[in-house]
Amino acid sequence: MLGCLGILLFPLASLAAIVIVPSSPLSTQSVVIRLTNQYGSDASVVSATITRIGNQFTISQTVNVVCVLPAAPVLTSDFDVGVLPLGTYQVVAQIQNVGLGPGCNPPAVTQSASFSVSEPVSVPVGNIWTYLAIGVLLLLSGSWRMKRRYEA
């Protein structure tokens, strides 16, 4: 019975996810990398850091897990990495789970994701006088062609 109780009290493996906000960032938008983990027992984030080398971000997160307290917390760490240049980026999250209590040894978790930053679609911009001049030229050209067609 004690063995079964120990299995029931051991935390479920954390389910980690990396979310990029916005999901398809443009080179003019600030990017947030969000690490979310779901636990099957009480847990709290002790520390969370992010480093960048080239186009790879590495998240290091330490979580205290209390195996004997039933709960289902969702832990989130947000990292505002700012505006990024065009390119494809990799994110690797290394979650170190520290068990608190006897026989509590939750495993470490590694999660990875990638995302691309793209160029915003450019919309041609002109001034009203340019558009007016083009319109007048088209009107004159069309009327000249119609006049030639009726004369023929």
Side-chain angles (χ1 to χ4, degrees):
M1 175 70 177
L2 188 56
C4 290
L5 184 61
I7 291 172
L8 292 174
L9 294 178
F10 188 82
L12 298 174
S14 72
L15 302 172
I18 297 170
V19 179
I20 308 303
V21 180
S23 59
S24 298
L26 303 176
S27 61
T28 56
Q29 296 175 307
S30 186
V31 177
V32 173
I33 299 173
R34 177 172 294 147
L35 174 61
T36 304
N37 347 8
Q38 170 79 51
Y39 285 85
S41 64
D42 196 20
S44 60
V45 175
V46 176
S47 67
T49 60
I50 190 167
T51 57
R52 176 181 173 196
I53 298 175
N55 283 12
Q56 181 166 334
F57 292 94
T58 302
I59 298 172
S60 297
Q61 185 184 59
T62 303
V63 177
N64 280 346
V65 180
V66 182
C67 298
V68 296
L69 299 176
V74 176
L75 306 179
T76 302
S77 296
D78 285 346
F79 304 95
D80 186 345
V81 295
V83 176
L84 299 171
L86 298 175
T88 300
Y89 295 85
Q90 303 296 321
V91 181
V92 176
Q94 300 165 337
I95 305 162
Q96 181 64 42
N97 294 308
V98 178
L100 302 178
C104 183
N105 297 311
V109 176
T110 300
Q111 182 70 29
S112 62
S114 64
F115 66 97
S116 293
V117 174
S118 59
E119 190 68 42
V121 176
S122 61
V123 177
V125 178
N127 68 37
I128 189 71
W129 301 111
T130 304
Y131 294 133
L132 186 58
I134 291 171
V136 168
L137 288 173
L138 287 173
L139 181 66
L140 291 174
S141 172
S143 65
W144 180 74
R145 285 182 181 219
M146 288 184 69
K147 183 179 177 184
R148 283 189 56 202
R149 187 173 291 185
Y150 286 120
E151 289 176 354

